Amino acid sequence: MKRIALILISLLFLFGCAYDPTVSEDTDKLELYAFSVGKADALLIRTSDAAVMIDTGENGDGDELVERMRSLGIEKLDLLILTHFDKDHIGGADAIVDEMPIDRILLPSYEKESKQYAQLLGALTESDAEVSYLSADLSLTFGAMDLSVWVSPVAFNGKSDNEQSLITKILYGGKTYLFMGDAEGAELERLVFGTRNLSCDVLKLPHHGVYDKNTFALMTAAMPSYVIICDSAKNPPDPETLEAISFYDPVILETKDGEIHLTVSEGVFKVGE
């Protein structure tokens, strides 16, 4: 009996050491949220390794975005990427930087005269985050997540912020996600006809669904299974854009219909779970 008791105690010890309730059982799961903040971008990518946010909506959105992320159990961002300095991409950034710890913040390497940009700079001066203004492409790794940020090859002329958009590509669990900011015009043309590999499973369409002469070429290069459009009922995608997308028959998800929650686990996509 004593021998059996010792065996049982040993087994309990081994199982107890092996079990860690803080470790997710689904370590290859990725969750992508596109928050419904009107015709504006605010996206969150969460894995077992990191929480990454891309853009922050408009003025007044920051507090609500922080509250929403906390409701999801997120108390810290590993990375915040601000693709460019238009108000519908950085409007909520000052509140998020003020209210949530952030390890690192990536921005494009240009300046802008605007209320939102000034508010952002003020928040950055008080932040403990590592702040990088990118003038060259950057690759980062968060556990099993490989993340690349591409800078625009187009010189800033003081007018088109959209053409300065940082592009983010994420590889995780065998799936690829491409976030295009508001890339249009010369930047989009150089992307689709250059040497970049734009193929992806999920494409965050640039510029809220506004049609560009290279929209069809983008879809041809990307061939996504899912397309996310950050739009609103007041500002829906252009019909020409929807026509170009629909030719390839992906699943189209629009924030005008509410918050988007796209999950992939074991290579299988699910919407709204």
Side-chain angles (χ1 to χ4, degrees):
M1 288 294 295
K2 184 180 293 186
R3 183 178 179 185
I4 293 173
L6 288 172
I7 291 172
L8 288 173
I9 291 171
S10 298
L11 288 172
L12 287 170
F13 176 77
L14 288 172
F15 282 118
C17 291
Y19 175 65
D20 183 350
T22 66
V23 177
S24 170
E25 294 180 4
D26 192 358
T27 55
D28 74 337
K29 178 180 178 181
L30 180 144
E31 293 180 280
L32 193 166
Y33 293 87
F35 299 113
S36 183
V37 288
K39 184 191 173 187
D41 279 22
L43 301 113
L44 175 72
I45 302 94
R46 176 169 66 173
T47 70
S48 60
D49 302 309
V52 177
M53 188 169 196
I54 302 176
D55 289 332
T56 59
E58 299 204 52
N59 266 359
D61 291 332
D63 291 335
E64 292 183 9
L65 289 168
V66 169
E67 183 178 344
R68 178 65 180 124
M69 285 189 284
R70 285 177 177 162
S71 76
L72 296 171
I74 295 173
E75 297 293 337
K76 179 182 79 73
L77 292 172
D78 296 275
L79 183 66
L80 170 62
I81 301 171
L82 299 175
T83 61
H84 61 296
F85 299 138
D86 276 347
K87 65 180 182 179
D88 55 339
H89 291 255
I90 66 166
D94 58 328
I96 292 172
V97 171
D98 284 342
E99 297 177 32
M100 180 165 284
I102 305 171
D103 285 346
R104 190 170 185 182
I105 302 173
L106 304 181
L107 311 96
S109 185
Y110 75 99
E111 298 179 349
K112 179 168 183 166
E113 292 186 9
S114 73
K115 171 185 174 182
Q116 292 77 19
Y117 184 67
Q119 290 172 333
L120 169 62
L121 292 183
L124 292 179
T125 61
E126 301 295 326
S127 173
D128 293 328
E130 178 185 350
V131 179
S132 302
Y133 290 84
L134 297 187
S135 56
D137 296 348
L138 179 69
S139 294
L140 299 171
T141 300
F142 298 97
M145 177 196 292
D146 292 324
L147 183 148
S148 298
V149 182
W150 304 335
V151 302
S152 172
V154 180
F156 184 51
N157 59 11
K159 297 179 181 179
S160 180
D161 288 64
N162 290 346
E163 294 185 4
Q164 298 304 303
S165 293
L166 298 178
I167 310 300
T168 303
K169 190 170 187 179
I170 291 175
L171 176 62
Y172 187 84
K175 301 296 183 182
T176 305
Y177 308 79
L178 184 63
F179 303 88
M180 299 288 292
D182 273 358
E184 63 174 355
E187 182 182 18
L188 186 57
E189 183 169 352
R190 294 188 190 190
L191 282 167
V192 299
F193 296 111
T195 58
R196 298 288 193 192
N197 180 2
L198 303 183
S199 63
C200 58
D201 297 284
V202 179
L203 172 68
K204 199 294 294 185
L205 200 72
H207 203 193
H208 319 289
V210 173
Y211 183 72
D212 185 279
K213 67 178 182 179
N214 291 303
T215 299
F216 199 100
L218 170 62
M219 289 298 300
T220 303
M223 295 291 289
S225 299
Y226 291 82
V227 171
I228 293 173
I229 306 176
C230 297
D231 58 359
S232 67
K234 185 179 178 180
N235 296 283
D238 290 336
E240 299 91 339
T241 299
L242 291 177
E243 182 179 356
I245 296 172
S246 298
F247 181 83
Y248 293 91
D249 198 30
V251 176
I252 301 174
L253 304 172
E254 302 179 56
T255 56
K256 71 178 179 63
D257 299 320
E259 178 180 292
I260 296 167
H261 181 202
L262 182 63
T263 303
V264 60
S265 179
E266 297 182 352
V268 178
F269 285 99
K270 294 182 181 179
V271 178
E273 296 185 18

